[in-house]
């Protein structure tokens, strides 16, 4: 599928619109290119605050906190290094290596940029040598998720290259992306959900073989854009943009159908027809990073990918109207909804959204969105802050303001009264989303209060999740360690959870939001202000 395409000059007097549409995804939803004066306007909108509190005492506290988090990261890394080096994960309770994602070393690669940012030079050098040995042509023999391969491996390698400039990472990212492009060779160009590297066949995790979901078709645009830029080969960007072409071309919002609100997409899609199937729109698992990548891809491209911005704006209208809902505790929640009504259930995945919305509000200079982002941050943080462990559940429900609570169980009513929400799935898997959103608020406002929130959550994580093999999950965040531990430590613990924890206490110019865009897996990619539409 890989083919060489000559570079196109997109901007300028001799723009060839139809070619641009097919090659670069540069045409906006309504067929327009960004205007230079819009780009100039967005360039002025600084993301990070200029108002961070200074002073020696605070500096010392923050440095101690950063050092504490780094020590714990190192503790987990050393356990992985000792018992499971080069495998995808370590079971933090049994200390056994676990193969979950092709067996190429998901934790090794997902951790690289955090190791670099923390200044762990020896560990970085050793890990680099290990990366050199990986052969992506072979795997453990099991089909694996294309989405996860992209966000953890390709994203991790690109980011390691961004920070270290070591060409091995770009070489390996390209080698792997070339293999994964085969998974986009479908009747529509929308990728398979699962890909078997050995046999070169696609499948779905469950249900009909051509089933995929919104997040897993729409979370390539950032990595593939950056890879195209770095390699000067548009093939990756073109494949990722084609997903948008097809989903927009073949689906028209229609009342009474699964896709009824413009910009709010159902979760499930058939990759063969390119048609949406079912699954009420939401911002949680199965959908989340699709929306996240609209605004981030636009920002990463130096404001050139106008269609992504148009899609984001359209989605925002639907999100504000049908997904965001006031709870009985007067906090604003993110439910599951469309013009047929709202399900008042949410999950911790949705909690990435306040941070992304705050970022968008700074990029677009839109203070109304900042207010909403803050309201949503409060309910997200509350799911952690109200627990005795300072750690929130995987899934939670709320009662829309003014609704009758008679459908709820007595325990749920009791929890709503006590916490403002009830716990639906009470476990915790060291997920980063709440910390991530608070991190954005810290960097955007400069308000030390947010760093303190992160520190409080970190105290809960350290007290409840730290074990010999790293950091385990909790069965019940109400009970903490006493309620039982889960022997699972996903690679995102190293890529995201520890990165956001640490960056809340470094100097704010370390991986500034004005210089980098974080991928959904927490991998920073350099923003390209000079990008002119040409690879
Ligand atoms: C991460 O792998 C990514 O953030 C992904 O988009 C969904 N969430 C997990 C962590 O919870």
């Amino acid at each position: 599928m890989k083919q060489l395409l000559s570079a196109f000059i997109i901007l300028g007097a001799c723009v060839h619109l139809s070619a641009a549409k097919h090659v670069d995804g540069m045409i906006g939803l309504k067929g327009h290119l960004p205007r230079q004066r819009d780009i100039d306007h967005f360039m002025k909108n600084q993301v990070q605050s200029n108002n961070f509190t200074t002073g020696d005492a605070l500096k010392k506290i923050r440095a101690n906190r950063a050092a504490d988090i780094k020590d714990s990261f190192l503790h987990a890394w050393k356990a992985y290094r000792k018992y499971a080096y080069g495998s995808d994960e370590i079971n933090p309770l049994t200390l056994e290596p676990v193969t979950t994602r092709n067996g190429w070393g998901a934790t090794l690669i997902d951790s690289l940029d955090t190791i670099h940012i923390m200044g762990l030079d020896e560990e970085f050098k050793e890990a680099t040598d290990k990366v050199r040995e990986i052969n992506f042509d072979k795997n453990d023999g099991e089909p694996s998720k294309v989405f996860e391969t992209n966000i953890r491996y390709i994203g991790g390698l690109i980011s390691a290259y961004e920070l270290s400039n070591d060409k091995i990472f770009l070489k390996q990212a390209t080698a792997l992306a070339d293999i994964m492009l085969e998974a986009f060779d479908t009747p529509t160009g929308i990728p398979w959900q699962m890909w078997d590297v050995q046999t070169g066949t696609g499948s779905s995790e469950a249900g009909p073989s051509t089933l995929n979901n919104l997040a897993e078709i729409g979370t390539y645009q950032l990595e593939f854009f950056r890879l195209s830029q770095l390699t000067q080969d548009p093939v990756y960007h073109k494949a990722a943009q084609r997903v948008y072409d097809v989903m927009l071309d073949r689906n028209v919002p229609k009342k009474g159908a699964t896709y009824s609100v413009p910009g709010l997409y159902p979760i499930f899609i058939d990759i063969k027809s390119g048609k949406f199937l079912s699954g009420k729109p939401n911002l949680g698992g199965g959908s989340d990073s699709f929306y996240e990548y609209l605004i981030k891809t636009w920002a990463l491209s130096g404001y050139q990918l106008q269609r992504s911005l148009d899609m984001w704006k359209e989605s925002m209208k639907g999100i504000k109207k049908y997904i965001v809902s006031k709870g009985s505790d007067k906090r604003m929640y993110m439910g599951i909804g469309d013009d047929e009504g709202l399900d008042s259930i949410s999950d911790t995945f949705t909690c990435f959204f306040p941070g992304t919305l705050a970022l968008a509000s700074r990029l677009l200079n839109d203070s109304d969105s900042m207010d909403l982002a803050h309201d949503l941050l409060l309910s997200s943080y509350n799911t952690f802050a109200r627990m005795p462990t300072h750690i929130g559940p995987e899934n939670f429900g709320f009662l829309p303001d003014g609704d009758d609570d008679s459908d709820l169980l007595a325990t749920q009513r009791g929890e709503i009264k006590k916490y403002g929400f009830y716990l639906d799935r009470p476990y915790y898997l060291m997920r980063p989303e709440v910390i991530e959103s608070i991190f954005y608020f810290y960097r955007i406002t400069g308000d030390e209060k947010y760093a303190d929130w992160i520190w409080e959550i970190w105290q809960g994580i350290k007290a409840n999740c730290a074990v010999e093999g790293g950091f385990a999950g909790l069965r019940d965040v109400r009970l903490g360690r006493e309620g039982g531990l889960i022997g699972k430590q996903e690679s995102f613990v190293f890529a995201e959870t520890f990165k956001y924890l640490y960056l809340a206490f470094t100097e704010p110019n370390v991986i500034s939001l004005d210089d980098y865009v974080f991928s959904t897996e927490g991998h920073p990619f350099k923003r390209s202000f000079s990008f002119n539409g040409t690879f």
Side-chain angles (χ1 to χ4, degrees), residues 34 39 45 48 69 72 152 160 174 198 218 228 243 269 361 454 473 525:
I39 295 173
N45 300 335
Q48 290 212 163
I69 292 162
S72 287
R152 302 187 197 224
T174 311
Q198 305 284 39
S228 279
V243 173
I269 191 163
S361 92
I454 290 182
F525 302 148

Side-chain angles (χ1 to χ4, degrees), residues 58-203:
L58 179 65
K59 213 174 167 181
K60 204 166 159 200
I61 293 173
R62 291 180 49 82
N64 286 339
R65 290 179 171 186
D68 186 64
I69 292 162
K70 181 173 161 179
D71 279 354
S72 287
F73 175 89
L74 206 49
H75 158 74
W77 178 256
K78 280 185 176 159
Y80 169 71
R81 163 81 184 70
K82 184 166 173 190
Y83 300 109
Y85 205 39
S87 26
D88 289 337
E89 289 168 25
I90 178 177
N91 178 321
L93 299 181
T94 64
L95 308 180
E96 284 161 341
V98 190
T99 302
T100 48
R101 310 210 179 275
N102 285 302
W104 297 318
T107 293
L108 174 83
I109 291 179
D110 232 0
S111 306
L112 288 166
D113 53 7
T114 309
I115 293 175
H116 195 279
I117 291 166
M118 289 183 172
L120 298 166
D121 297 343
E122 260 177 48
E123 285 77 5
F124 190 79
K125 194 172 169 301
E126 189 188 42
T128 306
D129 291 339
K130 194 85 181 152
V131 169
R132 219 180 292 279
E133 293 166 9
I134 300 171
N135 174 5
F136 292 115
D137 288 329
K138 299 217 160 9
N139 75 345
D140 67 328
E142 294 288 325
S144 193
K145 286 200 163 185
V146 184
F147 158 85
E148 302 288 4
T149 299
N150 176 52
I151 66 170
R152 302 187 197 224
Y153 286 109
I154 298 177
L157 288 163
I158 294 174
S159 176
Y161 175 67
E162 300 273 28
L163 301 181
S164 69
N165 233 358
D166 189 328
K167 291 225 159 39
I168 185 61
F169 298 121
L170 186 56
K171 192 171 162 224
Q172 288 289 49
T174 311
L176 180 54
D178 287 347
I179 293 170
M180 295 326 290
L181 276 182
E182 290 173 33
F184 288 71
D185 193 4
T186 64
T188 55
I190 297 179
W192 292 99
Q193 184 179 35
M194 312 288 290
W195 187 250
D196 186 329
V197 173
Q198 305 284 39
T199 60
T201 47
S203 58

Side-chain angles (χ1 to χ4, degrees), residues 273-531:
S273 65
K275 294 262 186 193
F276 286 116
L277 298 171
S278 59
K280 242 182 178 180
N282 73 96
L283 293 171
S287 301
D288 46 4
S289 44
F290 167 83
Y291 297 102
E292 177 184 2
Y293 271 29
L294 297 177
I295 190 73
K296 288 187 172 179
T297 308
W298 173 73
L300 187 72
S301 73
Y303 314 117
Q304 297 280 348
L305 296 177
Q306 181 71 33
R307 175 169 67 173
S308 299
L309 177 63
D310 291 341
M311 288 169 74
W312 164 265
K313 285 184 172 169
E314 193 76 62
S315 295
M316 274 310 301
K317 286 187 217 153
I319 289 169
K320 285 180 180 167
K321 194 161 173 194
Y322 297 109
I323 303 274
V324 170
S325 165
K326 191 185 272 184
S328 54
D329 62 348
K330 311 296 177 208
R331 291 195 179 87
M332 302 303 282
Y333 288 90
M334 293 163 277
I336 302 176
D338 57 16
D339 51 359
E340 303 265 287
L342 177 91
D343 297 338
S344 49
I345 192 87
S346 197
D347 62 28
T348 200
F349 291 101
T350 64
C351 299
F352 83 93
F353 189 70
T356 298
L357 185 57
L359 171 71
S361 92
R362 292 298 282 227
L363 293 167
L364 300 168
N365 200 9
D366 163 16
S367 58
D368 288 351
S369 290
M370 191 66 186
D371 292 343
L372 175 61
H374 191 252
D375 287 343
L376 297 173
L377 181 76
L378 292 180
S379 69
S380 302
Y381 170 58
N382 189 53
T383 64
F384 274 54
R386 297 307 304 273
M387 294 295 108
T389 52
H390 297 294
I391 298 171
E394 176 85 353
N395 227 349
F396 51 93
F398 58 96
L399 180 69
D401 197 22
D403 270 20
D404 172 11
D405 66 1
S406 56
D407 282 349
L408 296 176
L409 302 172
T411 48
Q412 294 173 334
R413 280 201 292 269
E415 287 191 329
I416 285 189
K417 226 173 178 174
K418 195 166 167 194
Y419 308 129
F421 61 93
Y422 66 87
L423 291 88
D424 188 47
R425 294 185 195 148
Y427 59 86
Y428 177 62
L429 291 173
M430 291 287 299
R431 291 197 190 279
E433 288 81 359
V434 171
I435 301 166
E436 169 188 348
S437 273
I438 304 172
F439 160 78
Y440 276 94
F441 271 82
Y442 173 63
R443 287 290 184 89
I444 286 171
T445 64
D447 189 337
E448 226 31 63
K449 165 182 85 186
Y450 297 115
D452 287 342
W453 289 5
I454 290 182
W455 183 249
E456 164 200 294
I457 293 170
W458 168 239
Q459 297 311 295
I461 291 177
K462 213 165 98 166
N464 289 284
C465 305
V467 290
E468 188 187 346
F471 285 79
L474 294 179
R475 292 198 181 285
D476 192 325
V477 294
R478 291 165 293 204
L479 305 172
R481 189 180 277 273
E482 306 307 313
L485 296 169
I486 302 172
K488 183 79 182 152
Q489 185 182 244
E490 289 252 17
S491 63
F492 60 66
V493 174
F494 296 84
E496 284 190 86
T497 311
F498 269 107
K499 190 181 285 120
Y500 292 124
L501 284 166
Y502 183 71
L503 287 176
F505 298 103
T506 60
E507 290 295 320
N509 61 356
V510 178
I511 317 288
S512 164
L513 296 173
D514 287 300
D515 302 330
Y516 290 89
V517 168
F518 285 92
S519 75
T520 193
E521 188 73 358
H523 295 305
F525 302 148
K526 273 189 195 125
R527 293 175 63 189
S528 33
F529 295 106
S530 57
F531 179 61

